[in-house]
């Protein structure tokens, strides 16, 4: 039984944009609304994600700005901030709102600009992102996000023998998928050798193990289950789990396990009445190659400790038995923080409709999206299924 349905999806190309935030969001929002075949006046609310624009662009209170720009002034706009899991949390709340009868149709999405177009360079943006880490125990130690995920990944390597070559194969795979995605930040392939030759960012991560700073926006139209059949191509939302884990990372009992993802996945699968074996592909939060390895295990697509092996053997590639990140993931598609969660939902929607072209996961009818925030402390896992 569906909790809600996505009936329209849109996103900008991820990359570098000199467009103001409301205009960037407007591009994705107009696409989503056109795709759904509705008018702005048919919507009841906007659930909107943005994480960093106050610090990055001195631009806050974006709700009425985006609503005015897209011709929807008057609608209530609810703003969400949950670090990198920002728009997945907006999506969860939109699903709950249509399921509970508060609204019939909600536009949900997110926008972020993270490149030097904001006026902030890499060190400054890295410091701004680090505001999502623990104020007392991580920030004073100089721990930024490459460092956070490097520590978690080092523990994974220690526990399971995961190698730098296996991590590099995640980057190779996601760049090869991203080359098939016209909206991806990076359109070029890479090799294990090129990844391993790159400059070290935070051991064991080199340049190509990291997602980039990106600008972009994404949006979907969510409607209640009983209205879904009046739209052309609804895709069902059958489960959403949302969990947190202890922070700072020094307090995590098993840092390589990302417990919030396990809890969120098990909640989402239970709601959907499925197990991980039923998931035909997943979009996971690969902010760093090691993060994809841990996520693929946490949501049950890959046995514990074998995330690296599966990637190196091509089993998580398109055409493999456990495809992961057919969009190119954060690594190649890009990571405009507040837009990432609903961009995953856009990919699931289009894949489950069978409309993505060369990167299509053949025969997929059930998929999961895993969106993580902060020092692995927040995770939202969504399950979507093709409407039969
Ligand atoms: N993957 C692949 N290529 C990348 C890249 C990445 N992550 N980041 C930058 N590049 C490319 C650029 O396109 C550029 O290529 P060009 O010379 O052909 O134009 C080149 O590498 C240098 O780019 P530059 O912007 O100078 O890189 P940088 O040194 O300022 O930043 C990182 C590189 C990896 C440090 C930065 O992208 C980073 O910190 N990423 C992680 C972001 C993050 O923490 N997000 C939150 C996750 S929770």
């Amino acid at each position: 039984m569906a909790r809600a349905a996505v009936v329209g999806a849109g996103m900008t190309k991820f990359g570098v944009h000199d467009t103001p935030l409301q205009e960037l969001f407007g591009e994705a929002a107009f696409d989503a609304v056109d795709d759904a075949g509705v008018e702005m006046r048919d919507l009841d609310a906007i659930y909107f994600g943005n994480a960093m624009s106050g610090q990055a662009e001195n631009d806050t209170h974006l709700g009425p700005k985006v609503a005015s720009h897209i011709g929807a002034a008057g609608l209530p706009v609810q703003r969400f901030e949950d670090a990198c899991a920002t728009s997945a949390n907006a999506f969860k709340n939109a699903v709950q709102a249509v399921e509970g009868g508060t609204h019939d149709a909600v536009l949900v999405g997110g926008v972020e600009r993270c490149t030097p177009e904001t006026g902030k360079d890499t060190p400054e943006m890295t410091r701004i992102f680090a505001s999502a880490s623990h104020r007392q125990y991580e920030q004073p130690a100089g721990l930024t996000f490459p460092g956070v995920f490097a520590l978690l990944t080092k523990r994974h390597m220690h526990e399971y023998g995961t190698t730098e070559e296996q991590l590099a194969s995640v980057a190779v795979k996601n760049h090869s998928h991203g080359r098939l995605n016209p909206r991806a930040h990076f359109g070029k392939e890479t090799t294990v050798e090129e990844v391993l030759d790159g400059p070290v960012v935070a051991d064991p991560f080199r340049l190509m193990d990291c997602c980039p700073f990106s600008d972009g926006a994404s949006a979907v139209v969510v409607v209640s289950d009983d209205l879904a059949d009046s739209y052309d191509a609804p895709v069902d939302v059958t489960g959403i789990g949302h969990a947190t884990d202890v922070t700072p990372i020094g307090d995590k009992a098993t840092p390589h396990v990302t417990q919030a993802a396990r809890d969120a996945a098990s909640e989402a699968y239970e709601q959907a009445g499925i197990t991980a074996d039923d998931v035909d592909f997943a979009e996971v939060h690969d902010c760093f190659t090691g993060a994809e390895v841990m996520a693929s295990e946490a949501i049950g697509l890959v046995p514990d400790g074998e995330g690296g092996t599966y990637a190196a053997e091509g089993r998580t590639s398109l055409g493999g038995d456990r495809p992961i990140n057919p969009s190119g993931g954060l690594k190649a598609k890009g990571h405009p923080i507040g837009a990432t969660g609903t961009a995953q939902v856009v990919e699931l929607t289009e894949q489950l409709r069978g409309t993505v072209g060369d990167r299509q996961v053949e025969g997929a009818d059930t998929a999961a999206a895993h969106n993580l925030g902060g020092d692995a402390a927040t995770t939202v896992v969504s399950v979507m299924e093709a409407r039969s």
Side-chain angles (χ1 to χ4, degrees):
M1 157 114 188
R3 297 186 58 190
V6 173
V7 297
M11 63 182 276
T12 66
K13 180 175 166 53
F14 284 2
V16 180
H17 289 278
D18 63 1
T19 325
L21 288 166
Q22 65 271 20
E23 293 179 24
L24 196 56
F25 181 72
E27 281 183 39
F30 288 128
D31 276 0
V33 164
D34 283 352
D35 184 44
V38 298
E39 304 289 335
M40 290 299 171
R41 64 172 174 272
D42 299 325
L43 302 171
D44 299 318
I46 301 172
Y47 283 31
F48 170 78
N50 172 268
M52 301 288 170
S53 68
Q55 296 175 77
E57 306 204 54
N58 195 35
D59 199 357
T60 58
H61 195 214
L62 290 172
K65 298 177 192 173
V66 299
S68 296
H69 177 72
I70 64 174
L75 288 185
V77 186
Q78 179 89 23
R79 183 255 175 139
F80 294 82
E81 185 279 299
D82 229 333
C84 302
T86 284
S87 53
N89 194 0
F91 181 63
K92 180 197 84 168
N93 278 272
V95 167
Q96 287 176 337
V98 298
E99 185 181 37
T102 305
H103 301 303
D104 291 329
V106 177
L107 178 68
V108 48
V111 66
E112 203 85 47
R113 295 204 317 157
C114 309
T115 70
E117 286 295 330
T118 57
K120 304 284 192 302
D121 61 9
T122 295
E124 184 66 6
M125 198 53 79
T126 301
R127 186 194 64 74
I128 290 171
F129 277 28
S131 65
S133 65
H134 199 287
R135 180 79 184 113
Q136 283 72 41
Y137 297 114
E138 292 173 341
Q139 294 179 28
L143 200 53
T144 58
F145 278 105
V148 165
F149 284 90
L151 287 168
L152 302 181
T153 301
K154 276 283 188 188
R155 188 72 201 178
H156 194 279
M157 297 166 92
H158 173 79
E159 293 289 337
Y160 297 121
T162 303
T163 65
E164 290 186 22
E165 287 76 8
Q166 290 173 347
L167 298 177
S169 68
V170 173
V172 172
K173 166 182 73 75
N174 288 348
H175 273 265
S176 115
H177 293 175
R179 197 179 60 77
L180 304 174
N181 184 350
R183 294 176 301 199
H185 189 151
F186 295 124
K188 72 178 174 76
E189 303 214 44
T190 188
T191 62
V192 168
E193 295 70 31
E194 186 180 43
V195 178
L196 295 176
D197 275 351
V200 172
V201 174
D203 181 35
F205 299 142
R206 296 168 185 273
L207 173 75
M208 292 296 282
D209 287 289
C210 307
C211 68
F213 290 109
S214 312
D215 308 325
S218 60
V220 294
V221 176
V222 176
V223 302
S224 56
D225 178 43
D226 51 350
L227 293 179
D229 281 331
S230 53
Y231 295 86
D232 276 349
V235 177
D236 289 339
V237 183
T238 52
I240 301 188
H242 180 185
T244 57
D245 192 10
V246 66
T247 182
I249 58 168
D251 286 351
K252 293 185 198 293
T254 49
H256 56 292
V257 154
T258 62
Q259 188 60 40
R262 284 175 197 255
D263 295 343
S266 101
E267 186 187 0
Y269 296 159
E270 188 181 335
Q271 285 171 20
I274 64 166
T275 69
D277 287 344
D278 299 312
V279 175
D280 297 313
F281 76 93
E283 286 286 306
V284 308
H285 196 92
D286 58 324
C287 46
F288 302 94
T289 51
E292 174 169 316
V293 167
M294 290 182 280
S296 62
E297 296 169 13
I299 67 170
L301 287 205
V302 164
D304 285 352
E306 294 186 36
T309 314
Y310 267 55
E313 291 176 350
R315 298 182 66 173
T316 54
S317 298
L318 279 168
D321 59 329
R322 295 313 246 159
I324 291 178
N325 282 327
S327 72
L330 283 57
K331 172 72 267 271
K333 185 182 62 185
H335 184 26
I337 309 181
T340 285
T342 35
Q344 293 180 330
V345 175
V346 171
E347 180 72 12
L348 262 56
T349 302
E350 295 180 348
Q351 285 276 357
L352 293 168
R353 288 172 169 175
T355 58
V356 295
D358 290 346
R359 66 177 195 284
Q360 184 67 48
V361 179
E362 291 304 327
D365 61 16
T366 301
H370 158 283
N371 187 203
L372 168 160
D375 51 2
T378 292
T379 306
V380 178
V381 173
S382 306
V383 174
M384 294 178 62
E385 300 182 48
R387 181 160 280 232
S388 42

